[in-house]
Every structure is written in C-alpha cells, then in structure tokens.
Amino acid sequence: MINPIKIMAKHYIKKENLDEYIEGCNEAKKKAKKGDGYISVRYFQDVVDEKIVVMTAEWENMDKLEKYVASNDFKEITDSLSKYYSKKAEVNFYREI
C-alpha cells in the first residue's frame, strides 16, 4: 500500500433524524468493507454539537476509491444517508506527506 487516500466529510444532521442517521452509518460501514481497496471507515459525533458527524475513510488509492464511488453500494449509501442532512457536507481528500 503506497500512500492511501484519506477522506474527511463533515455532515450536518437534522436533530430529529440523529438515531436513524447513526443506524445508517453502521450499515454504510458494512457495505464499504466489501469495496476493493477499502481500508477503513469511521464516524465521529461532535461532543459539543451532536448534530455534526464526521466520517473518515481510507482507501488504497484514488482509482479504487473512484471505482467504489461509482458502485451501486455507494449510491445506495449516499441516497439513504443524504436525506438526513440539514445542509451540504464538507468533503476533503488527503494524502499523507
């Protein structure tokens, strides 16, 4: 594995949907694990503002990440979770230096 890709996405969730969103995150992790090049996916809830959830993910390389993003599993995940957002997520891609 040479220089994996790291993704950090800050999601803003509607308060009334937090429980459903967290359940969906657990399902999203299970689906992501099937992806070729998957290393990890983790979710973190802000301790000050519980409506903020940060997802971190790591993939072997950008090609494998792009292949996964084009998959039906990814589309199902984003469709099921995006309905809980109160505003657009902030997503950044990183490579360790």
Side-chain angles (χ1 to χ4, degrees):
M1 232 180 337
I2 299 173
N3 218 0
I5 298 298
K6 293 162 184 35
I7 303 104
M8 295 185 84
K10 186 175 186 180
H11 298 122
Y12 301 88
I13 312 307
K14 299 172 192 167
K15 185 173 179 66
E16 64 272 14
N17 296 118
L18 274 172
D19 291 338
E20 295 96 332
Y21 182 78
I22 291 169
E23 284 178 34
C25 290
N26 290 322
E27 288 302 310
K29 283 193 273 189
K30 289 177 191 174
K31 286 187 178 187
K33 286 180 182 180
K34 298 179 201 173
D36 179 35
Y38 166 88
I39 298 173
S40 70
V41 172
R42 298 172 72 189
Y43 291 87
F44 302 90
Q45 189 173 29
D46 190 293
V47 294
V48 175
D49 185 349
E50 67 180 9
K51 299 180 304 297
I52 296 174
V53 176
V54 173
M55 183 273 309
T56 65
E58 199 168 355
W59 290 83
E60 289 178 10
N61 58 52
M62 198 63 175
D63 289 339
K64 290 184 178 186
L65 172 61
E66 288 172 349
K67 182 179 176 186
Y68 177 68
V69 168
S71 74
N72 285 334
D73 276 346
F74 181 79
K75 289 175 186 159
E76 287 176 14
I77 290 167
T78 56
D79 287 348
S80 69
L81 294 179
S82 64
K83 64 186 173 195
Y84 302 123
Y85 299 161
S86 62
K87 67 179 185 177
K88 187 176 178 178
E90 299 169 17
V91 182
N92 295 291
F93 297 82
Y94 300 96
R95 207 175 258 127
E96 191 170 338
I97 56 172

